Amino acid sequence: MIMAKRIALAQLTSCWGCDQSLVDLHLTLLEVLPQLEIVYWPAVVDYKLKDLEAMPDESIHIGLVEGSCRTKEDVHLLKLMRKKAKILVAWGSCSCYGGVQGLGNQWELKELLERKFLKADTVEDGRIPEEEMPGFTESVVPNTEIVKFDVPFPGCPPTSENTLEALSALLTGKPYDLPEKTVCDQCPKERKEKSITKFKRAHEGHIDPDKCLLDQGYLCLGFATIGMCGAQCPTVNTPCKGCFGPPPGIKDHGAKIISALGAIADMDPEELEKAFPDPIGSFYFTDYGASYLSKIRDKEREEK
Amino acid sequence: MTDEKTIKIHPVTRLEGHGELTVKMTKDGKVKDVQFNVSSTRFFEKFLEGRFAEEAPRVAPRICGICPVPHHLASVKAVEDAWKVTPPPAAIKLRRLAINAKQYSSHALHFFALAAPDFVVGPFADPAKRNVATIIKELPDVGKLALQVMKFGQDLVTAVGGKAIHPVTATPGGMLNPFSEEKRDIFLERVKEAKDWTLQTVDLAKKVVTDYWDPITKLAIAPTYYVGLHDKGNLEIYEGKLRVMNPEGEIVEDFTPRSYKKYMGEYVSDHSYATHIYYKPVGYPEGIWRANSLARCNVVDKMATPLADEALQEMRDKLGRVIHATFAYHWARIIELVQAIEEIEMLLEDPEIVSTDVKLSDVEPRKGQGVGCVEAPRGTLIHNYWTDDDGLITKVNMLVATNHNIAGIEKSLMVAAKQVFEEKAHEGLKLPDPMIE
């Protein structure tokens, strides 16, 4: 029998979908669990933060960090995980790119707080909670910009198969590399030469289930998105929103999409601009926090 | 301050979300204050602004990876309400299939992975052992049962929604993908087994109830109001009216979700990023209510399906109606697990479930305001969106399931903390020998 590896799973601000995806290995867990000595995983196991803090540095074989830093407590936990773990994995798109909450970077923190705690229709006599509260970060950035990670592992969430593949590699000491292919490479739909003259919105018309969604004029981002998911969304006639982020080597997902669209669409720039009144929401989904636009905003804020 | 003692549980474990618990004691050992500190939030209500409204059902599931289906559906219903769209009947049936499948897997996850360790391994067991991994290892039959039940629900969500976590197929006007006959046949076959597993789960739950009768009936009994969806008095999770029950067990409101603002308020406490939703006409804290399984079982006349209704009547025979016993939430969850599998079976047997007429093709975005309400596993969920002429979102208000329960959780924790720290009531409780030593 293999010696069990010490593993810690930490949740920063997130939806816990990555945890659910791991649990969704279901019966396969029966084979995986004996190989793991879980030393921290609040979603499932009762160890507390102080237990993690008390562990010697680098005493954890594999650390998985899910979620991104929306609070100062998240930053503490992230840095703690870096100190305690030998191999640190950026688990899911929040950890790799900031996640969907990175879209909040379009506004100042003050505006986010006001909307939720002071101005919501159902709130009366609101306030910003402070007692025993950790306080928020000014914006959401990828965890990989705060500490060094050994393994990026994107997905919103990574599929159970992805999770098994990554865990198996890490447990046996093999390298885990991200694929170079795109969602289109995994998609079963028939593709033709593209010449889009008009974009349709997701609810419009009827989708031909056999043909490429982008060819039909739906903004399907499979062409610019890393192929790990097995093209789950296009397979069920739903456009890819790019939730796994770009293939390796591409720094700015949305910028890549915009430049590619210029070539794919038979439309002048004004028409394209009109078709997408919300470029940030359309071209970034889980990775706005990793974009140049968001970084420029951060920089402007700092200079103020 | 120095003579006071603070007990901090950081983080609260075996729950989805980020919480801490703070108990403040006076120097003479009295419980002064109990706080459930929810220590994170992401501001979906702000960053949905400016988006295409039809994309909101893709964004909203990210609110919760354990219950993404209710968010997906509350979101699409809110857009449909704003745009005055009614999807075809078969699309609604597919959505009901998805939400029941999610209810099924989530309740199983909650019962087996989050709650069961306390009952199976025992509340005073070594924290290193008090978890589902131990159950899987030491009681392989129970572990396998748990994993199979959860798998069935998640697989069915995938079959309808494309992905189990963050499903994608619901869009304003219907569903983007019909349910094939081939898939239907597979699940019709599998549901027989799943029903059998469900009944085995009921047996296990009954044993837990019998074994832990003392704590169930004595610990953390916290009278509150209750809120939940119903359809003509039956327990309902996709579409219906909302009832409110007062602590005396009387139905005091019965309203359509569209008028929710008249009945629901959010109290912002200084010590939690999750707001406390309460019964507005009575005010806060008098109007503290709870949602989730027990609340639904309290407010409805009966369950919508026969086996589940038998189970509800059994609980009411033993504990009455209105039930304030916090531990009865687990029991109610199992009753709902039964309803979910019966609903799933009925929907799979309905020939219309494989209809290809599942989406309108002439949906027009418009300026409007819409409310989408469903029951998430942990309670009533409301999405309220405002859209402009192009169908872009201009404003969002959301009341999410867990926030209905935060104040109620604090209330029951206060009762429990007093019992434990002031009366040492836990020492006198009759507890069974753990199933795992």
Side-chain angles (χ1 to χ4, degrees):
Chain A
M1 196 180 140
I2 327 162
M3 271 274 283
K5 288 251 164 79
R6 287 165 62 82
I7 186 168
L9 304 98
Q11 288 80 37
L12 314 182
T13 295
S14 68
C15 76
W16 300 52
C18 295
D19 300 70
Q20 175 79 58
S21 190
L22 173 57
V23 172
D24 281 356
L25 282 170
H26 296 128
L27 297 173
T28 310
L29 280 177
L30 298 175
E31 293 151 39
V32 177
L33 277 178
Q35 302 176 52
L36 308 177
E37 183 193 343
I38 301 166
V39 296
Y40 192 68
W41 190 12
V44 174
V45 180
D46 286 345
Y47 293 118
K48 303 297 172 189
L49 185 65
K50 63 175 170 40
D51 299 316
L52 182 66
E53 287 168 337
M55 286 175 207
D57 290 355
E58 295 192 22
S59 63
I60 297 166
H61 291 115
I62 304 166
L64 280 84
V65 175
E66 181 230 325
S68 56
C69 293
R70 184 72 269 185
T71 69
K72 289 170 185 164
E73 191 176 76
D74 292 329
V75 179
H76 170 71
L77 182 54
L78 173 60
K79 290 182 174 167
L80 188 63
M81 283 292 287
R82 177 63 280 181
K83 251 171 79 178
K84 304 296 176 186
K86 279 198 197 99
I87 298 173
L88 197 64
V89 181
W91 186 22
S93 291
C94 289
S95 204
C96 293
Y97 316 120
V100 70
Q101 54 269 29
L103 289 170
N105 292 359
Q106 263 181 282
W107 294 269
E108 295 302 308
L109 175 61
K110 188 171 160 279
E111 295 172 280
L112 303 177
L113 292 168
E114 270 179 4
R115 185 80 202 84
K116 182 178 174 72
F117 294 117
L118 306 176
K119 290 186 177 165
D121 277 27
T122 25
V123 164
E124 275 171 42
D125 306 323
R127 60 177 139 189
I128 316 288
E130 284 178 351
E131 191 189 347
E132 305 281 338
M133 293 283 96
F136 293 100
T137 54
E138 284 298 320
S139 67
V140 173
V141 300
N143 291 335
T144 50
E145 289 176 18
I146 301 173
V147 301
K148 189 183 166 296
F149 277 82
D150 304 289
V151 181
F153 182 49
C156 187
T159 66
S160 302
E161 294 76 22
N162 296 152
T163 308
L164 181 64
E165 196 188 328
L167 266 185
S168 304
L170 293 168
L171 285 170
T172 50
K174 290 188 188 120
Y176 175 78
D177 294 319
L178 294 178
E180 297 286 337
K181 57 181 182 253
T182 66
V183 172
C184 288
D185 297 330
Q186 300 184 308
C187 184
K189 297 200 188 297
E190 188 196 348
R191 262 183 293 170
K192 291 213 169 117
E193 196 65 35
K194 287 177 182 35
S195 100
I196 302 158
T197 52
K198 185 182 179 301
F199 276 99
K200 287 183 211 152
R201 288 165 61 176
H203 63 279
E204 285 181 35
H206 263 302
I207 290 170
D208 182 333
D210 299 320
K211 290 189 182 145
C212 166
L213 297 175
L214 190 57
D215 286 354
Q216 297 180 61
Y218 294 99
L219 183 71
C220 184
L221 299 179
F223 66 89
T225 300
I226 187 169
M228 290 172 68
C229 61
Q232 309 174 95
C233 299
T235 302
V236 294
N237 303 327
T238 308
C240 168
K241 277 185 79 70
C243 73
F244 277 63
I250 290 169
K251 289 261 187 273
D252 190 309
H253 199 188
K256 169 80 188 169
I257 293 162
I258 295 165
S259 70
L261 278 186
I264 296 166
D266 201 4
M267 296 163 74
D268 56 49
E270 290 75 31
E271 280 179 299
L272 263 178
E273 208 183 320
K274 219 178 144 209
F276 298 105
D278 172 29
I280 289 176
S282 297
F283 306 129
Y284 297 95
F285 184 23
T286 59
D287 44 20
Y288 182 63
S291 71
Y292 292 126
L293 279 173
S294 179
K295 286 194 181 84
I296 291 166
R297 222 191 137 94
D298 279 347
K299 211 163 176 195
E300 285 171 354
R301 187 182 300 116
E302 270 168 38
E303 282 163 6
K304 264 187 218 165
Chain B
M1 284 299 279
T2 46
D3 51 5
E4 290 183 354
K5 187 181 161 194
T6 299
I7 298 163
K8 189 102 187 158
I9 296 177
H10 184 189
V12 178
T13 46
R14 283 187 277 133
L15 92 169
E16 185 267 324
H18 299 73
E20 291 150 30
L21 183 62
T22 307
V23 183
K24 293 187 177 172
M25 313 274 296
T26 62
K27 59 179 173 184
D28 53 351
K30 296 273 184 256
V31 179
K32 210 178 104 189
D33 192 17
V34 174
Q35 300 177 350
F36 184 46
N37 313 109
V38 177
S39 53
S40 196
T41 187
R42 285 169 296 160
F43 308 108
F44 277 82
E45 34 304 73
K46 186 68 186 176
F47 67 71
L48 277 168
E49 283 179 16
R51 315 289 169 221
F52 283 130
E54 72 275 13
E55 298 296 326
R58 300 292 300 276
V59 180
R62 270 80 186 175
I63 293 172
C64 175
I66 317 295
C67 59
V69 178
H71 282 288
H72 187 49
L73 298 182
S75 178
V76 80
K77 284 176 69 179
V79 181
E80 286 170 346
D81 190 35
W83 292 359
K84 309 249 181 293
V85 175
T86 308
I92 292 174
K93 286 181 181 170
L94 274 181
R95 293 177 184 177
R96 300 183 76 95
L97 187 58
I99 199 170
N100 275 290
K102 183 66 249 188
Q103 178 92 332
Y104 187 72
S105 70
S106 175
H107 276 6
L109 176 87
H110 195 133
F111 178 72
F112 284 111
L114 306 185
D118 286 332
F119 303 114
V120 174
V121 194
F124 301 113
D126 177 0
K129 289 213 139 184
R130 198 174 50 209
N131 56 62
V132 71
T134 305
I135 295 178
I136 290 171
K137 202 170 139 200
E138 307 276 338
L139 294 175
D141 290 350
V142 176
K144 201 173 166 199
L145 176 66
L147 295 167
Q148 283 171 321
V149 168
M150 292 191 269
K151 179 172 165 53
F152 175 82
Q154 292 295 87
D155 285 354
L156 185 51
V157 175
T158 307
V160 179
K163 290 169 76 184
I165 306 157
H166 309 329
V168 298
T169 51
T171 202
M175 299 292 279
L176 289 162
N177 197 39
F179 198 52
S180 68
E181 287 186 30
E182 194 189 342
K183 276 186 194 161
R184 188 266 318 267
D185 292 346
I186 292 169
F187 282 96
L188 257 181
E189 189 55 38
R190 285 179 63 183
V191 75
K192 295 177 201 156
E193 221 176 4
K195 214 170 163 184
D196 192 42
W197 298 328
T198 310
L199 298 179
Q200 290 176 37
T201 307
V202 171
D203 288 341
L204 180 67
K206 278 187 184 165
K207 179 175 159 43
V208 168
V209 166
T210 313
D211 288 355
Y212 283 88
W213 190 249
D214 219 28
I216 290 170
T217 51
K218 288 182 184 158
L219 206 60
I221 314 290
T224 60
Y225 285 78
Y226 296 94
V227 63
L229 208 62
H230 75 98
D231 177 38
K232 299 181 192 77
N234 290 341
L235 192 139
E236 166 63 32
I237 58 175
Y238 180 72
E239 182 105 72
K241 286 171 80 182
L242 287 161
R243 272 187 184 170
V244 179
M245 178 178 266
N246 69 14
E248 290 73 44
E250 297 152 352
I251 302 292
V252 290
E253 304 287 356
D254 192 357
F255 60 95
T256 54
R258 249 187 165 258
S259 56
Y260 78 95
K261 277 189 237 165
K262 198 174 149 196
Y263 306 97
M264 299 184 174
E266 283 181 277
Y267 171 79
V268 184
S269 89
D270 196 31
H271 60 257
S272 169
Y273 290 149
T275 61
H276 299 187
I277 305 169
Y278 62 97
Y279 177 44
K280 201 168 178 178
V282 174
Y284 189 91
E286 290 75 18
I288 288 174
W289 65 22
R290 289 186 281 184
N292 198 330
S293 57
L294 182 65
R296 289 185 289 255
C297 284
N298 272 333
V299 303
V300 299
D301 301 330
K302 60 187 188 63
M303 303 301 285
T305 57
L307 289 177
D309 197 46
E310 270 177 41
L312 175 65
Q313 296 316 324
E314 195 178 334
M315 180 167 80
R316 284 183 177 169
D317 285 346
K318 292 202 170 127
L319 293 174
R321 177 186 178 196
V322 55
I323 300 169
H324 297 302
T326 303
F327 283 108
Y329 266 94
H330 299 311
W331 193 348
R333 203 167 279 122
I334 295 303
I335 295 167
E336 289 192 327
L337 186 80
V338 177
Q339 174 160 323
I341 199 70
E342 289 182 285
E343 294 259 17
I344 288 167
E345 190 179 32
M346 280 193 298
L347 285 161
L348 288 169
E349 282 169 355
D350 185 336
E352 207 180 6
I353 204 77
V354 290
S355 165
T356 51
D357 179 18
V358 290
K359 185 181 169 292
L360 307 177
S361 56
D362 57 351
V363 172
E364 288 288 337
R366 54 184 282 173
K367 186 174 175 167
Q369 192 227 129
V371 173
C373 173
V374 299
E375 285 287 331
R378 276 149 286 277
T380 308
L381 170 63
I382 291 175
H383 285 224
N384 188 185
Y385 304 156
W386 285 254
T387 59
D388 67 12
D389 292 325
D390 297 321
L392 293 165
I393 293 177
T394 54
K395 194 174 109 173
V396 171
N397 197 44
M398 274 181 200
L399 294 178
V400 299
T402 296
N403 291 19
H404 292 284
N405 299 305
I406 305 284
I409 287 171
E410 284 192 346
K411 212 169 169 172
S412 58
L413 281 170
M414 181 57 131
V415 175
K418 283 187 170 163
Q419 287 179 298
V420 169
F421 295 115
E422 295 176 11
E423 300 158 22
K424 308 274 175 228
H426 58 294
E427 289 171 6
L429 287 175
K430 226 170 81 191
L431 295 173
D433 291 332
M435 288 162 79
I436 296 170
E437 288 301 334

